[in-house]
Amino acid sequence: MWGVPAGDIESVVIGRLRSLLLDDGELLDAIGANALDAVALDAALVEAKQTAELLGSALPHELRVIVQRLVKRVEVQDACVMLQI
């Protein structure tokens, strides 16, 4: 576990975030969409898509800011990387 390069973990985290942000159903489950009205929900989905696009094209320092804004904790385990958002 300690031998995993930081760049590999970063790639996994960014890939997983992009996947979550692009999957409306999974994202709605994660954010508890029942608490949002239709306008707020639509705005959240639009922002998620825009953020996913940024994650795919941002410079390293921009990536760091985006990931720090979205992810509270990254836990590297033997078989997976867990994200707390």
Side-chain angles (χ1 to χ4, degrees):
M1 173 170 46
W2 295 106
V4 178
D8 290 352
I9 295 169
E10 185 176 292
S11 293
V12 168
V13 169
I14 291 168
R16 182 64 188 108
L17 281 174
R18 287 193 78 224
S19 175
L20 172 66
L21 294 171
L22 292 170
D23 184 331
D24 290 352
E26 186 178 4
L27 183 60
L28 294 176
D29 286 343
I31 64 173
N34 295 336
L36 300 176
D37 62 37
V39 173
L41 183 58
D42 187 51
L45 293 175
V46 168
E47 184 176 351
K49 300 293 180 270
Q50 292 170 343
T51 302
E53 289 178 20
L54 282 174
L55 284 170
S57 62
L59 297 172
H61 68 278
E62 295 168 328
L63 281 174
R64 193 171 14 264
V65 170
I66 295 167
V67 171
Q68 287 176 343
R69 188 183 71 173
L70 297 175
V71 178
K72 292 180 184 176
R73 179 181 169 92
V74 176
E75 185 177 326
V76 178
Q77 299 179 354
D78 289 337
C80 65
V81 176
M82 303 279 293
L83 302 180
Q84 182 181 16
I85 57 172

